[in-house]
Structure formats: C-alpha cells, structure tokens
Amino acid sequence: MNNREYLEKRNTLWQKLRELEPDDERVEALMLELTNHAHISREKVLEGLGWFEKLEG
C-alpha cells in the first residue's frame, strides 16, 4: 500500500465514524479497523471524534 492509498483509507474510516453516533453497532468494527490501520490508540480516536466524554460519562 502506498502513501496515497494509506491516507485515503485512513480518511475514509474517519469519515465513516464521524457519520455515526457513539452507540451505533458499526462503531466497534470501524474503530478496530482504524486503530489497526493507522496505528493509533482507541483513546486518540475517541478524542478525535469528540466522543471521549460521552462514552466515559
């Protein structure tokens, strides 16, 4: 996978997650795919989506 393909997939995964609500059943699969693909933590994804407080509280 070249850099462009990596970035396109990463951005697509972020976009798909932004379209969902935190309690949507599709979130977990997309989050796992994004964390594995981009090598970032679940916490960073939650923070990026603005969901950290919603899921913690």
Side-chain angles (χ1 to χ4, degrees):
M1 176 178 296
N2 66 38
N3 194 44
R4 180 184 175 100
E5 291 169 332
Y6 166 82
L7 292 173
E8 287 176 351
K9 182 172 180 174
R10 185 200 64 184
N11 292 347
T12 297
L13 291 168
W14 273 110
Q15 183 59 41
K16 287 180 179 180
L17 279 167
R18 285 187 188 103
E19 293 170 355
L20 301 176
E21 292 296 320
D23 59 349
D24 191 294
E25 63 187 26
R26 296 169 289 180
V27 166
E28 286 305 315
L30 284 169
M31 178 128 11
L32 182 59
E33 189 174 357
L34 178 58
T35 58
N36 288 335
H37 177 73
H39 305 288
I40 57 176
S41 70
R42 179 181 175 84
E43 290 77 22
K44 289 290 184 188
V45 175
L46 292 172
E47 288 174 13
L49 294 168
W51 293 355
F52 197 81
E53 301 80 23
K54 292 178 186 176
L55 295 177
E56 289 292 314

